[in-house]
Amino acid sequence: MAEGHESPPRGDARAARAAELAARDSYGRLLARLAVRTRDIESAEDALADAFAAALQQWPLAGVPDNPEGWLVHVAKRRLTDSARHRAVRATVEPALVVEEELARSSRRETIEDDRLAMLFLCAHPAIDPAVRAPLMLQLVLGLDAARIAGAFLVAPASMSQRLVRAKQRLRETGLCFDHLDADESDSRLRDVLEAIYAAYGTGWDEAEGAESSVGGLRQEALWLARLVCQAREHSGEARGLLALLLSCESRQPARRNAAGEYVPLERQNPEDWDRQLYLEAEAVLASAATRITTPLPGRFQLEAAIQSVHTRRAVVGTTDWVTIVQLYLGLMQVAPSVGAAVAHAAALSRAYGPRAGLDALHGIPSQAIASYQPYWAVLAHVQQALDLPEAVASRERAIGLTTSAAIRAYLQGRP
Amino acid sequence: MKFAIIVYETAADFAKRNDPEQAPAYWGAYAAYSKALTEAGIARGGAGLLPPSTAVTLRLRGDKRTVQDGPFAETKEMLGGIFLIEVPDQATALEWAARCPSATTGSVEVRAELPPIPQG
């Protein structure tokens, strides 16, 4: 295995991270293929576990092998000793591993279709609790362990493992449906897949607010899944919308903190600090989605990506077109109503038409929806202050009490 | 279900309490958190505690009694206070624990209340 390694320079965290993602990429591909062939996810996971652990350990140091999947299959076969734990696994998975090894040797890997999409669709099966779909995808397609996923989703590790095990049992009981979906079913399942990927990205976003994590939570993983779906479903405007949205958000990452580590809200970010390569890619992806809209209203992710695109345009024209943003949020509230969209719409209204318009919109949001919703109180405090209302103080205090981010807490406390 | 949100703070956190520059933000953050718990209707009590240096620890073992100045054991993170909350489940308790200021500096421990002790 020594030849053909691309050794990353020592201490290069980015290269190590890329090698880790390559290991996850190969693992997900292989697991999906084995699971589709053997119809037994848990045995396939079990068979690959040792090999994958070895890859996670070795690749970031030694580099990614030329034939990553061949490497994994080779190690997996060697490690499948005849222990009691492995006897059953061997019986189901070994024949598939042999086939894999043949394929890997013949190096005609591109002829094999990608089963990971089938796996993603399976994870979004209607029989699976929506809350566990994203964690399941992260585990089955990227091999993340339950503890890491639990941290990102702010769940106790024991509860997360239990939920994942239960979800896999559920898949087994219902009989694996890797089968073909009809067009309607496929569309609604795709929406669920995209929602789950977005949820995974959201945890990475929240995590980055709190922790000083240089790897950025699960954002890279989510972005990677979005690319995967986009490649496999290139006709889907929504898949492109999601990818464009995530790329836009990602492009702002370097600008969200100043040199002192303090929080910088989007409107005060210097567009020079945005990652140009990422937002240009976002623009290109979104533009290609626009030509694929078949329904009268664009979907949720295309609208959200379009909103981000308007913000991005500030890099060129120097100002933000808030009137357009208000319109886009109105559309978003129509296709995918949520308290987040309502609050963001109110914030945009106050920019476009003055704080009074924003305040009226905020007052129109049902009170039970916003009791613990931090952004509502932050926006409310902002417009109340702009109107010189004394209630601003209490609203800001509520926003401070509800944030999980030290930087946002300090930002809100620092305001007069 | 009732849960204790147990606040563990670092020495630097405790020092903020009396630092003229940092005290307002420190107390402001806990006041805001405490108020948010009340406004959400889940606050069921609790107490902030003076720093561990003010503690006295005692042990009675047979006829041997020891009384010691300071906490039971010196650790990197020390008990700073407790919030009691009532929420439907552990997941919600964890959501609230994440909002506790010490989550980003020290740590927060979440524990469910013991069920009633069986009577005789």
Side-chain angles (χ1 to χ4, degrees), chain A residues 156 159 372 397-398 402 409 413, chain B residues 25 29 32 35 39 90 99:
Chain A
S159 321
S372 314
E397 190 174 24
R398 190 84 173 262
L402 286 172
R409 189 178 292 128
Q413 285 186 319
Chain B
K35 213 161 161 186
E39 303 262 11
Q90 190 197 47
R99 294 169 172 145

Side-chain angles (χ1 to χ4, degrees), chain A residues 336-357:
Chain A
S338 73
V339 62
V343 169
H345 171 242
L349 272 176
S350 78
R351 295 282 165 178
Y353 304 107
R356 175 60 61 185

Side-chain angles (χ1 to χ4, degrees), chain A residues 236-281:
Chain A
S236 161
E238 275 297 86
R240 283 168 186 264
L242 175 69
L243 180 58
L245 171 62
L246 299 193
L247 287 166
S248 288
C249 292
E250 212 42 36
S251 75
R252 319 258 196 258
Q253 204 56 30
R256 295 171 77 210
R257 296 284 182 274
N258 64 18
E262 292 163 341
Y263 169 71
V264 185
L266 178 55
E267 295 114 270
R268 298 202 189 168
Q269 288 168 12
N270 181 355
E272 304 257 306
D273 295 336
W274 293 340
D275 187 321
R276 195 174 138 83
Q277 206 184 329
L278 285 174
Y279 72 64
L280 288 180
E281 189 188 351

Side-chain angles (χ1 to χ4, degrees), chain A residues 79-270:
Chain A
R79 298 277 173 96
L80 267 190
T81 50
D82 208 21
S83 71
R85 178 171 84 94
H86 279 145
R87 216 161 289 144
V89 173
R90 251 189 109 152
T92 16
V93 181
E94 199 167 36
L97 276 175
V98 171
V99 175
E100 283 301 327
E101 202 171 35
E102 294 298 319
L103 287 171
R105 213 174 283 140
S106 73
S107 80
R108 304 235 32 98
R109 290 184 297 139
E110 71 274 15
T111 59
I112 305 160
E113 90 279 16
D114 198 324
D115 290 311
R116 287 173 301 179
L117 198 72
M119 190 69 110
L120 285 176
F121 273 70
L122 187 67
C123 293
H125 193 282
I128 299 296
D129 172 11
V132 81
R133 286 174 191 165
L136 199 58
M137 286 175 185
L138 292 164
Q139 183 167 70
L140 292 179
V141 182
L142 282 164
L144 292 180
D145 59 55
R148 169 96 191 276
I149 302 170
F153 284 85
L154 218 60
V155 169
S159 321
M160 183 53 86
S161 332
Q162 208 177 19
R163 278 185 213 175
L164 287 166
V165 168
R166 224 179 284 145
K168 279 180 255 177
Q169 282 168 354
R170 188 101 183 86
L171 284 179
R172 198 174 43 212
E173 284 159 16
T174 47
L176 291 181
C177 303
F178 281 115
D179 42 23
H180 279 294
L181 303 163
D182 62 49
D184 275 0
E185 202 181 1
S186 171
D187 273 359
S188 81
R189 198 80 76 80
L190 177 64
R191 202 163 52 230
D192 293 339
V193 168
L194 299 176
E195 293 280 352
I197 295 172
Y198 190 51
Y201 186 84
T203 67
W205 195 256
D206 294 345
E207 246 188 13
E209 292 287 8
E212 281 70 53
S213 141
S214 61
V215 293
L218 300 178
R219 297 197 328 269
Q220 291 308 317
E221 283 78 3
L223 196 56
W224 188 92
L225 288 176
R227 281 190 197 281
L228 173 69
V229 177
C230 213
Q231 280 160 14
R233 285 298 171 98
E234 54 175 1
H235 298 300
S236 161
E238 275 297 86
R240 283 168 186 264
L242 175 69
L243 180 58
L245 171 62
L246 299 193
L247 287 166
S248 288
C249 292
E250 212 42 36
S251 75
R252 319 258 196 258
Q253 204 56 30
R256 295 171 77 210
R257 296 284 182 274
N258 64 18
E262 292 163 341
Y263 169 71
V264 185
L266 178 55
E267 295 114 270
R268 298 202 189 168
Q269 288 168 12
N270 181 355

Side-chain angles (χ1 to χ4, degrees), chain A residues 353-378:
Chain A
Y353 304 107
R356 175 60 61 185
L359 188 66
D360 289 344
L362 287 169
H363 283 155
I365 302 174
S367 59
Q368 70 273 17
I370 46 81
S372 314
Y373 189 65
Q374 197 270 351
Y376 173 87
W377 298 99

